[in-house]
Amino acid sequence: MFSVIFPGQGSQSLGMLSDLASNFPLVKDIYTEASDALSIDLWKLTQEDQEALNQTENTQPAMLAAGYATYRVLATELDLSPQCMAGHSLGEYTGLVAAGS
């Protein structure tokens, strides 16, 4: 039995998930879906613009996409059956998305 806990705002960093995305196209697919919904290129923002990434209106969707993408990659590689999902602050929303709420 295990739980998954997602980080909150403040965990963002320039270039986050770049290594994971180079090995798992699913990461960029998730960022593309979020970017399309918000009309902003979240992937480019997380890879190229620290100042914009640190703005709350950008940090929050970028962190949700990052947490969800990471979870989905783990779920495709491992047999995950978490008993619960939680998150710190903003990470609570990522937990809800990952749980299918």
Side-chain angles (χ1 to χ4, degrees):
M1 180 164 79
F2 69 97
S3 301
V4 177
I5 302 174
F6 296 95
Q9 189 169 336
S11 302
Q12 72 275 7
S13 64
L14 195 63
M16 63 185 188
L17 272 63
S18 61
D19 290 339
L20 196 63
S22 66
N23 293 305
F24 298 95
L26 175 62
V27 173
K28 284 193 180 175
D29 293 344
I30 289 169
Y31 268 85
T32 297
E33 183 178 350
S35 294
D36 290 348
L38 298 170
S39 299
I40 182 172
D41 188 341
L42 287 176
W43 183 254
K44 182 176 179 180
L45 185 132
T46 62
Q47 302 305 303
E48 299 177 10
D49 194 343
Q50 183 71 55
E51 186 176 327
L53 177 59
N54 287 341
Q55 295 173 3
T56 299
E57 66 270 14
N58 298 324
T59 302
Q60 292 181 351
M63 287 303 298
L64 192 147
Y68 183 62
T70 302
Y71 175 76
R72 289 284 310 277
V73 167
L74 287 172
T76 62
E77 294 296 304
L78 305 171
D79 182 22
L80 292 183
S81 296
Q83 296 300 306
C84 71
M85 294 192 198
H88 174 258
S89 188
L90 171 68
E92 293 176 28
Y93 291 98
T94 310
L96 288 167
V97 172
S101 294

